[in-house]
Amino acid sequence: MEKRVRYGILGCGMMGQEHLRNLALIDGAEVVAITEPNKEMQKRCAELVSDAHFFNNLDDMLNANLELEALVITTPNYQHADQLLQLFEQTSLPILVEKPVVTSLEQVAKIRAAAAKHPAPIWVAMEYRYMPPVAQFKKQIVNGDIGKFTMLNIREHRFPFLEKVDDWNRFNSKTGGTLVEKCCHFFDLMRLLTKSEVKRVYASTGQDCNHLDESYDGQAPDIIDNAFVIADFENGQRACLDLNMFAEGSRYQEEICAIGSDAKLECFVPGPGRFWPKETLGPAPIPKVVLSPRAPKGPIEADIPVDDKLLDAGDHNGSTFYQHLGFFKAITEGAPVDVSLEDGLKAVVIGLAAQHSSKMGQAISLTGEGFSFSE
């Protein structure tokens, strides 16, 4: 008998529509309800899910008696924490919530305490874990291909923040800040790959090119567009993030490098195919993983292609599909949750600490509940 799950979606802007396209690829996944107050977004979503019920607010969706079996939160960042608290109180349904889980340190303890009583799976959407080249990269580290893992570097050189409904992503107060909104993905990867916790972080950031001429209700955007972040881990490993958001001409959007006692391992991930000018540059670059042993010297390259069907469904190299497939199995088969709420919270705390480090001009020490620094 085919397993089926009836989904309710909260928020259906650009990322929500990507979730809809990927859920449509999973046999048994059925989106029956969408909460989205923006009429233009409702229209776009109706073209993807013609028979879903639309609601202007979460209360109406929960009270509609549609026999929902799972919820997906893809609303703007600043709404996640309040919506989670409401859902923990009013439902016992499995929840997949987009990153970042929260946008401020004050929200961490509240969400952690409320989630501890929730009986169903909670999955945080960290798409980068599931990109096929990144998954292969992790596999080779786990297999010992580089020997003793010592250093990790993550470089993302990409396009500026895109336009979103009501331009919510132009301000730290609504996004949590760039190092939370965008880079919690990378802090999550750092924890995943090193299998350790960050004990200290130092960041240098800038707002140098993007959105400088924009104004919203008389306010200028305050989100940074470039950063260096260095993280020291409890097990002695170190990691560095190199972020630039005015480098959309790059051949690869993400370049991840792990160095161990025996070899260097690199992972190359292109950006969204829809932004690649095929008419002038030809076919989009293929993701790849490159192993460079110390002896015998010489790189060993492996292309890691992504199914065209998955590329067409979103901007994250197929990862949204694999993530939803895991969530679907957690609901229907009791499979483990790959990215826990605690994973999501810790990635946000690292990002908040990095932003505070940049503001204070000093390294920040992380604690079990947050972070500390010397005045």
Side-chain angles (χ1 to χ4, degrees), residues 136-192:
Q136 177 62 30
F137 181 81
K138 175 179 178 286
K139 180 179 178 181
Q140 292 187 228
I141 292 175
V142 172
N143 287 345
D145 288 7
I146 65 173
K148 182 182 177 182
F149 182 16
T150 302
M151 299 177 68
L152 176 67
N153 181 271
I154 300 177
R155 171 188 289 175
E156 181 173 65
H157 287 180
R158 57 162 279 169
F159 49 90
F161 280 122
L162 299 173
E163 293 184 5
K164 296 290 182 76
V165 174
D166 297 328
D167 303 297
W168 65 266
N169 63 343
R170 295 302 195 256
F171 298 95
N172 290 331
S173 61
K174 292 188 175 181
T175 63
T178 300
L179 294 182
V180 171
E181 205 292 325
K182 184 73 206 68
C183 300
C184 63
H185 278 304
F186 304 125
F187 301 132
D188 176 65
L189 282 181
M190 289 178 183
R191 293 184 59 248
L192 178 71

Side-chain angles (χ1 to χ4, degrees), residues 2 41 54 68 86 157 166 177 212 219 258 299 326 371:
E2 183 183 44
M41 294 302 106
F54 283 88
L68 297 177
Q86 180 178 350
H157 287 180
D166 297 328
L212 300 181
Q219 291 186 312
F371 51 83

Side-chain angles (χ1 to χ4, degrees), residues 1 5-6 10 96 131 147 187 203 226 310 336 339 357:
M1 183 176 179
V5 177
R6 294 166 61 85
L10 283 68
L96 185 147
M131 293 180 175
F187 301 132
N226 65 94
L310 301 185
V339 192
S357 169

Side-chain angles (χ1 to χ4, degrees), residues 64 196 342:
S196 185
E342 194 63 21

